[in-house]
Amino acid sequence: MNMLISALFCIAYGLYYQGQRTYPGFLLWLAATFAAGWAHFFLLSRGVLPTWLSIGATNGFFVLSALLRVDATSRFLCYRKLPPLLYLLPLAVVLACLYFYLALDQIAIRNFITVSLLFLAMLVIASLFVLHSPRTNRLLYYSAALFMLFWAAVIFFRAVCWLFFPEMELFGGVIWQVVPAVATILGDAGFGVLFLLMNNQRAEQELSQANLAKEALILELQEALNSLSTLEGIIPICSHCKSVRDDQGAWKQLEAYVASHADVQFSHGICEQCAEKLYQHESWYEEFRREQQAVRPETVGQG
């Protein structure tokens, strides 16, 4: 059942990745689900495959799946990667489990080693959900954290009871079979759904923010366009006084016409040709010209 659930979620993750926007950690979460599926496969293959292979592969893939989920959650929430050396931990677990099978056959210790690491991984994931939950949807992340804590508590309680009460067989008794199996099924399925919801919620939030930014930009551009006036077409202008005829047929000074159709203002002065034509016989103008002619050579010399 667990292997089937892992396979279905691998397919679902793959289809989601092809058609939807995903974020850092998504492919690692897919890999974690794939590793969990292999762990269940080797667990169910006990009696078919060599026992040492089933024990080592089952525990190693379970720990690898937990590490991948921690790494995926860390990348998804805070864009941080796990140290690569941590990925040697599954190999260490395999060696430890083989020792406690080949040299000292202690199934309770093997189970406690693996479950303890899974328990720690779930605590880390739950803390990441609480500490790095977005403000807009904290309920989803807090719910995921509580879910992880419940899942971790169930499997760890079973491992501790079995370690200190060896008479409780791992695969014996209805309660000891049903409760952990149901917890594992709910854990795999529930957490897979929660992770898809988190990814989808972030995509919707980014889309909403992009739409708001787009609307703000459109409004800003519209205001800018409304503040602009353009001159186009043929403008009737008097060839003598240079007055311009507006759309109502009234003649306006060129400055007034342009100012009413564009965001400009005029400052008035006089060019040298017009000043010579109008004021050449004025004494003040002659004095002004002499001052200008006296200043220009000095400017040229300084250059």
Side-chain angles (χ1 to χ4, degrees):
M1 184 66 179
N2 294 47
M3 189 174 68
L4 178 61
I5 291 176
S6 298
L8 292 176
F9 269 102
C10 283
I11 297 174
Y13 283 142
L15 294 175
Y16 190 93
Y17 179 77
Q18 293 295 325
Q20 302 293 330
R21 175 174 173 78
T22 57
Y23 300 90
F26 188 89
L27 290 179
L28 283 179
W29 200 266
L30 172 60
T33 306
F34 188 73
W38 276 108
H40 293 300
F41 168 78
F42 283 105
L43 180 63
L44 294 175
S45 299
R46 188 166 300 178
V48 178
L49 297 175
T51 304
W52 65 268
L53 177 60
S54 175
I55 291 174
T58 298
N59 290 277
F61 274 113
F62 270 130
V63 175
L64 176 61
S65 174
L67 275 177
L68 288 170
R69 284 176 175 170
V70 173
D71 201 356
T73 306
S74 178
R75 297 188 189 200
F76 181 78
L77 292 176
C78 47
Y79 300 96
R80 295 178 182 175
K81 301 178 182 179
L82 285 184
L85 289 177
L86 282 179
Y87 281 97
L88 295 177
L89 191 58
L91 179 59
V93 171
V94 170
L95 295 177
C97 290
L98 290 178
Y99 173 80
F100 284 106
Y101 170 67
L102 298 175
L104 183 63
D105 191 5
Q106 293 289 334
I107 186 173
I109 296 179
R110 296 198 305 266
N111 180 69
F112 184 77
I113 292 173
T114 301
V115 171
S116 297
L117 293 175
L118 298 182
F119 178 74
L120 291 176
M122 292 176 186
L123 290 182
V124 172
I125 294 174
S127 64
L128 288 174
F129 284 153
V130 173
L131 296 176
H132 299 281
S133 60
R135 296 180 180 179
T136 55
N137 201 358
R138 285 184 173 174
L139 179 61
L140 174 62
Y141 289 81
Y142 286 174
S143 300
L146 290 175
F147 184 83
M148 289 298 294
L149 292 176
F150 172 76
W151 187 13
V154 170
I155 63 172
F156 189 71
F157 176 76
R158 179 175 181 251
V160 170
C161 288
W162 192 30
L163 180 65
F164 291 101
F165 303 98
E167 63 274 10
M168 296 182 178
E169 297 182 1
L170 178 62
F171 299 103
V174 176
I175 295 179
W176 294 103
Q177 287 182 358
V178 173
V179 173
V182 172
T184 304
I185 293 174
L186 293 177
D188 286 338
F191 205 59
V193 172
L194 286 171
F195 192 78
L196 289 177
L197 289 175
M198 292 175 186
N199 190 93
N200 191 59
Q201 182 267 337
R202 179 181 289 187
E204 291 180 353
Q205 182 180 0
E206 288 190 356
L207 179 60
S208 177
Q209 292 176 349
N211 289 334
L212 291 175
K214 180 180 178 181
E215 293 176 359
L217 179 60
I218 292 175
L219 181 61
E220 182 180 351
L221 292 175
Q222 188 64 45
E223 291 177 352
L225 288 174
N226 292 336
S227 65
L228 293 178
S229 298
T230 58
L231 293 173
E232 59 183 1
I234 299 175
I235 301 176
I237 187 170
C238 176
S239 59
H240 179 68
C241 68
K242 307 303 180 184
S243 295
V244 178
R245 187 177 65 196
D246 61 16
D247 297 334
Q248 287 73 35
W251 290 92
K252 295 182 177 180
Q253 287 186 340
L254 178 62
E255 302 95 312
Y257 182 83
V258 173
S260 64
H261 287 75
D263 189 15
V264 295
Q265 294 181 350
F266 288 90
S267 63
H268 290 84
I270 188 169
C271 66
E272 293 182 356
Q273 290 81 0
C274 291
E276 186 70 24
K277 180 179 178 181
L278 295 174
Y279 307 115
Q280 60 179 337
H281 301 297
E282 299 290 338
S283 59
W284 63 266
Y285 181 72
E286 293 179 357
E287 183 179 353
F288 172 77
R289 288 295 303 273
R290 286 194 298 269
E291 292 177 355
Q292 291 294 316
Q293 291 174 357
V295 170
R296 286 180 182 175
E298 296 178 2
T299 305
V300 173
Q302 293 174 359

